[in-house]
Amino acid sequence: MLALFGFGSLLALVAFHTFLAGVATRFFRIQLSTSWGSILYTLVLTPILLLVSTLVFTGALGVGTGINVGSSTILLALLIALPIALGAAIDYLYLTPPDEYELPDTR
């Protein structure tokens, strides 16, 4: 039963990290004026955010308890690389680009 809870909580953490990566990618695309800047910030700052989240959730809260994925490299790929790829793909492929929104004039 513990392994089932660990597997479910690990999948929930992957989904949460995908959400965080998508929101971070969208934030960088809106705030930065250059396309290379948003890509660079997504590839540098988002893994740091996900690494801190991974350390908090797996260490302090015990998410994924009872699951043996083989090595820490596989676990980091599952909790950091996969969500970054999915979050960026969702933002770039399925959401409207920030330039296409019409904002009201605030003057």
Side-chain angles (χ1 to χ4, degrees):
M1 190 67 179
L2 183 62
L4 184 62
F5 175 73
F7 183 71
S9 63
L10 193 64
L11 283 179
L13 185 59
V14 170
F16 177 67
H17 277 184
T18 302
F19 174 75
L20 279 179
V23 169
T25 303
R26 188 61 160 187
F27 176 76
F28 295 140
R29 284 182 71 190
I30 290 172
Q31 293 296 321
L32 300 172
S33 60
T34 64
S35 62
W36 282 105
S38 63
I39 293 170
L40 184 66
Y41 273 60
T42 298
L43 293 177
V44 172
L45 293 181
T46 305
I48 295 171
L49 172 70
L50 295 183
L51 180 64
V52 169
S53 174
T54 298
L55 292 175
V56 167
F57 280 109
T58 59
L61 299 178
V63 170
T65 303
I67 299 295
N68 184 9
V69 293
S71 71
S72 59
T73 306
I74 294 172
L75 184 65
L76 288 179
L78 180 67
L79 291 176
I80 295 176
L82 179 67
I84 289 173
L86 288 175
I90 289 169
D91 184 49
Y92 278 99
L93 298 176
Y94 295 111
L95 295 177
T96 308
D99 300 337
E100 292 185 14
Y101 286 110
E102 290 186 25
L103 298 175
D105 192 20
T106 57
R107 286 185 259 157

